[in-house]
Amino acid sequence: MNDMTGFPPAWPAGVPEHGPIVLVDGDADWRAQAEQALRARGHEVVACDALAGLARMRLPRPAALLIVDAALAVPGWRAEAGAAGGPAFDAGLADCPVLLVVDAREGRLPEQALDGETTDFFVRSRHWALLVDRVRRQCRAARVERELRSRHDERARLEQDMERLISVDALTGLPNRNRFLALCTEAVSEARRAGHQVAVVAIDLDRFAQINESLGQVAGDEAICLVAERLGRGLARLAGSPDPGRDPVLARLPGDAFAVLLPWALDPWRLDEPVDALLQEIARPLTIAGTECFVTGCAGIALYPRDGDAAGLLLSHADSALADAKLRGSRSYRWYAPLPHADARARLKRVSGLHKALERGEFSLSYQPCVDVVRGTLIGVEALARWRHEDEIVPPAEFVPLAEQSGLIVPIGEWAVREASRQIRAWRDAGLRVPKVSVNISTLHFEKPSLAETVRAAIDAHRLEPGMLEIELTESCMVRDFGRTLGALQALRDLGVSLSLDDFGTGYSSLAYLTRLPIGKLKVDRSFVRMLGTSTQGEAVVRAIVALGRSLRLQVLAEGVETVAQARALLGMKCHAMQGFLLSRPVGAAQLPEAIDRIVERCRLASGGSPSARRVRAAATLQGVLQ
Ligand code: C2E
Ligand code: CA
Ligand code: CA
């Protein structure tokens, strides 16, 4: 791809940010109106009716966006357009995003709608505001992408740093859990295509706490590094993979745990020996801080496809096999064995309880406030599902995975959207101003075409302004089927609903996707917030996320803020939007007004004066409240 300096001298130096929008469309009437609508918003537009028309066009500057009628965009169209326009024209289009105008009458998207040439699509309509919004977003994304690429001070490096921070373990330099899961997801997809197996081995050191206690944490860290080296060497000695591009992966998990990915499937009976060899390798004496130590470890093994078909599941099964191995003493390893009968029955009972839970009205929503602590205002509340089952509250961490496995997460998500909408209307009618309610929607749900319709129906039924509802999605959405997710997100955006990216930093996100998502908010995962004040890596990640969000003009909200120290650190990074136990736990709908009053009161003292003075006061008042 060309960068700015690669443009031919036909263009003046100091190319402005916004070049013209090139519109190629065969429908003369639609084209004229679209042109008018875009011009009315200050865009410069150059239009023609066919790709051949590009030859006659003179672009004053590189184009900001190319809008093309899908009917004209036959395979290879871009090369053809380049040829028609000549090299200077080609360079002017080299970097520009492409918005494809698709006819709704076709009933389905043409194949090229989201191929490598196309950035986005617009279903042909005369909703000019929508078109203008889509164009604005694409221009913005392209500009940010260009900036990220071309600016090597303060942003491109920031992106790299962040990618490193969220994927590398700071102590050993090995991939961390996130990165391991991402690589494992890739290996599983590849294995699915090629029809082979993938092994995941979880390794944990025995009685490692004793080393930390007797020799100190520095010695403990040294031991972890030595074990990492040994495991690395042991893996390098493993019989080579049939495909040299697919070497084993060693990752460090939190604490004294490691994980190994063997992406080329060995037959199970050929795995025992190398795993045993790795454990022997660890067990050789080590000299740490001048003292000879004996560190041993245990291992658990899970295999794709036999034990699971998703990275997270394989690692968790390898972990449960590891727990089993630990019971058998040091240096042992076990294969994952499916749940014993009784557990399987209990699980089945839960699933059948879950099936009936909706019709029995066993679900409710709790609401947790999200606050701008400097302004002292409520930004919105997050709706969190609660399941009351046989007199106990089953936490989402337990029922959400079950609901996802059984497909019930879709009706639960639909219910949550309806219930949150009903509640917004009830609060409104009672005179309580809750600016926004966000609902968590599972990745699986984004694959259902009905999602936007469910949301629209709920908004209509309760006469809501669509902006009062927000949908939270996680990064895993992007991994599964980016084209489809983007379509679903756009349908929601077109309704006017807000979108936010949840648990940011824990998924498998490629930052390149981020600029293309029509989201308005990033939620920094609480695992990073928890590290604030205790780890420089956590601090660096949060700082990088805040800077990245700001460069994309997104709101950045920190989740799971529990302590004043964390809030202070966030304020120091100018991250004012927070959610967490420090401000309020999730509460029932009836308790929300009181919770809001309490928070606003807490933050009230911070308001007024310059932003920096307000930040200092916000930190002080939060501190005071706790004492
Ligand atoms: P999440 O979307 O990240 O929601 C925030 C979770 O963090 C909530 O847990 C909340 O109670 C908890 N939390 C908030 N502040 C703090 C804090 O300061 N410290 C700590 N330690 N935790 C805090 P909860 O309600 O147990 O929900 C867990 C997860 O279950 C949610 O994580 C979300 O992924 C999922 N979930 C909850 N409700 C729904 C739902 O309606 N649909 C779907 N698909 N998922 C849901
Ligand atoms: Ca959430
Ligand atoms: Ca979250």
Side-chain angles (χ1 to χ4, degrees):
M1 282 211 183
N2 286 38
D3 64 14
M4 284 299 184
T5 54
F7 285 115
W11 284 289
V15 179
E17 264 197 346
H18 274 293
I21 291 170
V22 176
L23 171 61
V24 188
D25 198 284
D27 180 335
D29 184 41
W30 188 89
R31 190 177 68 235
Q33 287 191 43
E35 208 179 326
Q36 200 182 11
L38 290 167
R39 288 227 165 93
R41 299 299 168 100
H43 290 287
E44 195 180 340
V45 186
V46 189
C48 62
D49 62 354
L51 293 174
L54 296 176
R56 291 188 299 276
M57 236 178 225
R58 292 195 68 81
L59 285 187
R61 289 186 301 282
L65 178 70
L66 180 56
I67 306 179
V68 185
D69 185 348
L72 304 174
V74 293
W77 66 273
R78 191 147 178 163
E80 198 187 304
F89 183 84
D90 203 18
L93 287 182
D95 255 357
C96 99
V98 176
L99 182 68
L100 208 65
V101 181
V102 179
D103 247 305
R105 275 167 307 180
E106 295 289 327
R108 63 185 186 88
L109 288 181
E111 241 158 54
Q112 69 273 31
L114 278 171
D115 65 6
E117 302 282 21
T118 319
T119 326
D120 199 355
F121 59 89
F122 177 76
V123 177
R124 188 188 297 280
S125 73
R126 286 171 201 266
H127 291 147
W128 304 119
L130 282 186
L131 178 70
V132 168
D133 178 62
R134 194 67 56 80
V135 164
R136 187 183 54 80
R137 229 173 320 112
Q138 285 307 325
C139 288
R140 183 188 74 170
R143 195 183 58 235
V144 170
E145 227 170 89
R146 254 196 329 264
E147 277 174 16
L148 280 174
R149 222 177 310 128
S150 63
R151 273 211 227 160
H152 284 288
D153 55 339
E154 224 198 304
R155 229 179 256 139
R157 206 180 308 143
L158 177 83
E159 193 177 0
Q160 277 171 6
D161 279 357
M162 194 167 116
E163 224 144 29
R164 186 175 45 75
L165 285 166
I166 61 182
S167 60
V168 173
D169 169 55
L171 179 64
T172 57
L174 291 174
N176 64 10
R177 189 172 191 279
N178 279 345
R179 181 81 188 127
F180 182 81
L181 288 173
L183 292 169
C184 187
T185 300
E186 275 175 24
V188 166
S189 308
E190 174 58 31
R192 188 175 292 131
R193 260 196 303 278
H196 60 232
Q197 308 181 75
V198 172
V200 170
V201 185
I203 298 174
D204 191 275
L205 305 182
D206 304 319
R207 295 180 299 279
F208 188 73
Q210 279 176 6
I211 293 194
N212 269 338
E213 278 159 21
S214 54
L215 299 176
Q217 175 141 16
V218 174
D221 285 354
E222 196 186 329
I224 293 280
C225 291
L226 287 173
V227 170
E229 263 174 41
R230 287 186 173 184
L231 284 171
R233 273 201 305 270
L235 280 175
R237 275 202 297 273
L238 266 186
S241 81
D243 170 0
R246 310 215 136 258
D247 289 328
V249 175
L250 171 66
R252 160 129 191 258
L253 308 186
D256 55 354
F258 293 87
V260 173
L261 170 71
L262 299 168
W264 28 276
L266 290 170
D267 291 321
W269 56 89
R270 289 182 50 209
L271 258 178
D272 293 286
E273 204 179 303
V275 170
D276 193 42
L278 287 179
L279 295 180
Q280 300 303 335
E281 184 75 41
I282 298 177
R284 287 191 296 117
L286 287 172
T287 306
I288 304 160
T291 309
E292 187 168 72
C293 306
F294 292 88
V295 177
T296 55
C298 287
I301 315 167
L303 204 64
Y304 164 83
R306 194 189 69 183
D307 302 331
D309 63 354
L313 195 63
L314 287 168
L315 186 57
S316 111
H317 284 169
D319 261 340
S320 65
L322 170 65
D324 194 11
K326 289 231 154 195
L327 296 176
R328 282 154 212 269
S330 62
R331 267 187 270 184
S332 46
Y333 66 90
R334 302 297 295 170
W335 284 85
Y336 172 71
L339 293 174
H341 218 55
D343 285 4
R345 243 203 318 267
R347 184 177 172 282
L348 214 64
K349 196 158 160 264
R350 272 268 143 102
V351 173
S352 92
L354 202 53
H355 267 282
K356 296 183 191 124
L358 271 177
E359 60 190 68
R360 289 182 181 163
E362 291 177 348
F363 282 110
S364 63
L365 290 178
S366 281
Y367 298 89
Q368 189 177 31
C370 305
V371 183
D372 181 324
V373 299
V374 171
R375 288 215 179 93
T377 50
L378 181 75
I379 298 168
V381 297
E382 176 171 5
L384 295 156
R386 298 289 175 260
W387 178 23
R388 181 179 288 282
H389 180 54
E390 294 175 353
D391 287 333
E392 60 163 333
I393 299 280
V394 185
E398 232 173 85
F399 73 78
V400 167
L402 282 185
E404 284 185 330
Q405 282 159 29
S406 58
L408 280 168
I409 199 69
V410 173
I412 293 175
E414 288 171 349
W415 168 83
V417 166
R418 283 195 299 268
E419 173 59 16
S421 303
R422 187 197 63 72
Q423 189 59 59
I424 298 174
R425 171 47 57 203
W427 280 325
R428 266 280 147 122
D429 291 347
L432 181 71
R433 250 196 71 69
V434 176
K436 219 181 253 297
V437 177
S438 45
V439 177
N440 292 280
I441 291 295
S442 153
T443 292
L444 294 177
H445 203 156
F446 279 93
E447 290 169 11
K448 306 283 173 222
S450 58
L451 178 60
E453 182 47 35
T454 305
V455 172
R456 197 193 55 74
I459 289 172
D460 285 355
H462 299 286
R463 294 168 287 118
L464 307 183
E465 292 141 35
M468 295 159 96
L469 205 61
E470 181 169 79
I471 298 293
E472 295 196 2
L473 59 138
T474 59
E475 294 160 88
S476 55
C477 272
M478 289 173 259
V479 181
R480 284 180 74 98
D481 185 341
F482 186 64
R484 200 183 318 193
T485 302
L486 199 60
L489 294 178
Q490 243 132 31
L492 290 168
R493 270 306 300 162
D494 290 351
L495 289 175
V497 169
S498 325
L499 298 170
S500 80
L501 193 57
D502 204 0
D503 305 342
F504 184 71
T506 60
Y508 319 128
S509 63
S510 150
L511 295 176
Y513 283 139
L514 203 58
T515 53
R516 291 175 56 185
L517 291 178
I519 51 169
K521 191 189 287 173
L522 285 186
K523 298 186 78 171
V524 184
D525 187 65
R526 65 172 186 271
S527 58
F528 300 121
V529 173
R530 195 182 306 134
M531 288 196 264
L532 286 177
T534 60
S535 122
T536 47
Q537 190 181 14
E539 185 121 5
V541 175
V542 178
R543 200 175 283 283
I545 295 176
V546 171
L548 182 83
R550 198 165 289 145
S551 77
L552 293 170
R553 301 200 175 89
L554 300 176
Q555 186 180 40
V556 180
L557 180 141
E559 300 188 293
V561 182
E562 290 183 353
T563 67
V564 172
Q566 291 162 353
R568 266 177 191 279
L570 289 162
L571 286 169
M573 297 169 194
K574 300 200 177 103
C575 175
H576 304 173
M578 301 183 198
Q579 174 182 0
F581 294 169
L582 177 66
L583 297 152
S584 168
R585 289 187 175 255
V587 295
Q591 289 82 45
L592 189 70
E594 197 195 316
I596 294 175
D597 282 350
R598 222 175 26 237
I599 296 170
V600 172
E601 180 60 26
R602 275 182 193 194
C603 301
R604 192 177 52 88
L605 296 173
S607 56
S610 72
S612 58
R614 268 183 274 151
R615 268 195 293 278
V616 171
R617 276 204 300 278
T621 38
L622 286 170
Q623 179 96 49
V625 167
L626 281 195
Q627 284 165 352

